Amino acid sequence: MDKPFKVPPPYAIASVDNALRIATMLQLEGPLTVTEVARRLGVANSTAHRLLAMLVYRDFAVRDEGRAYRVGPVLELAAHSQSAAARLRAAALPHLHRLVELVGESANLTVRTGATVRFIASVESRQVLRVGSREGMVFPAHRTTAGLLLLAELPPDRLDALYAAGADRPDDGPDLDALRADLARVRRNGFAVNQGRSERGVVAIGVRVHTPDGEVAAGLSVSMPSARYEKERLPSLVATLRATAEALERDLAG
């Protein structure tokens, strides 16, 4: 198995992390007020205001006449991308919140672009020991639960082309024979389990989400500290994930 890809820095700077999270929220969701940002980050309004002021100073955000903040010139391209991913995220958020309530663990929605995946929505568990928000983060597809689910949909020739020498792919490309075996297992099971593959000490379980025309749109997953994962819960977790995915698919079809 590959070594874990991302490990939190030993001296994480909370203010930097929060500023980056705000930039991601503005990019994915559109305008937000100080109060909304403070609630999402779990900080005081005054702290959220200072963070937003710095983003405005560096042109990552601007304040509109209604006193809400939106993406600034640095992120302006995102202002024009109320795309399928943005619509998918908006439809998924209520289901992610419900999923967190049902299983007590953090929930994510992830899409694939080439050999990478991006977490477009993330709702944290309320437990003290929990997996934090992955919203906006990008990982090599072969290292994540959702990435395995989405790669498993590719025909063999497209998978080979994706990881061909010289292709636009992560530097730490996978062992293709091992990856093919992993993807065959995912196809047989209809779900994926990731134990420490993307981040040490984290277990994630996921299923696919389909568009109304039957295409696979995203991966839906729950993530938990490995110390809390019990294999006996796997059937129940998969069943809850599938029910949530089906509910989201009905909303997308509607």
Side-chain angles (χ1 to χ4, degrees):
M1 180 180 289
D2 294 335
K3 294 181 180 179
F5 175 64
K6 290 192 178 181
V7 177
Y11 302 105
I13 303 173
S15 60
V16 174
D17 187 43
N18 281 337
L20 294 172
R21 289 181 64 187
I22 292 171
T24 299
M25 288 188 285
L26 295 177
Q27 191 178 52
L28 292 174
E29 302 174 43
L32 294 168
T33 66
V34 170
T35 300
E36 289 169 333
V37 169
R39 177 178 53 80
R40 291 283 297 279
L41 296 181
V43 299
N45 280 17
S46 58
T47 300
H49 185 269
R50 289 195 297 270
L51 290 166
L52 284 161
M54 184 54 68
L55 290 176
V56 169
Y57 175 68
R58 291 295 181 183
D59 292 322
F60 281 81
V62 295
R63 186 179 179 185
D64 62 27
E65 293 179 358
R67 308 187 79 178
Y69 292 80
R70 58 180 175 80
V71 291
V74 173
L75 299 176
E76 197 163 32
L77 285 176
H80 303 290
S81 64
Q82 297 301 319
S83 60
R87 293 191 295 272
L88 177 61
R89 181 187 183 281
L93 273 175
H95 297 283
L96 292 180
H97 282 284
R98 176 62 175 157
L99 182 57
V100 171
E101 291 177 5
L102 290 172
V103 303
E105 304 293 352
S106 300
N108 304 288
L109 191 76
T110 311
V111 297
R112 181 182 69 85
T113 302
T116 64
V117 291
R118 180 172 182 173
F119 287 73
I120 63 170
S122 187
V123 176
E124 289 187 14
S125 162
R126 294 184 181 141
Q127 302 203 57
V128 175
L129 179 62
R130 63 181 181 270
V131 176
S133 173
R134 297 292 181 264
E135 193 163 286
M137 294 180 72
V138 175
F139 286 79
H142 70 281
R143 289 187 176 274
T144 69
T145 302
L148 293 173
L149 289 162
L150 299 172
L151 289 173
E153 292 294 302
L154 296 178
D157 58 334
R158 287 186 58 192
L159 182 71
D160 292 343
L162 191 63
Y163 291 104
D168 182 15
R169 61 181 176 80
D171 292 335
D172 62 337
D175 178 313
L176 276 180
D177 289 337
L179 179 60
R180 291 187 188 101
D182 290 338
L183 299 182
R185 187 180 309 110
V186 169
R187 283 190 289 270
R188 287 195 304 271
N189 294 338
F191 63 87
V193 179
N194 171 359
Q195 294 184 265
R197 189 169 187 145
S198 55
E199 188 166 342
R200 187 174 291 110
V202 173
V203 175
I205 301 150
V207 300
R208 301 178 186 89
V209 175
H210 297 83
T211 64
D213 60 7
E215 296 293 323
V216 174
L220 174 71
S221 62
V222 291
S223 303
M224 67 200 74
S226 56
R228 198 158 56 232
Y229 174 60
E230 299 172 348
K231 289 184 179 179
E232 294 77 10
R233 288 188 67 199
L234 181 60
S236 174
L237 289 169
V238 170
T240 303
L241 279 162
R242 283 176 171 158
T244 302
E246 289 167 2
L248 173 54
E249 289 166 356
R250 287 194 294 271
D251 281 358
L252 293 173

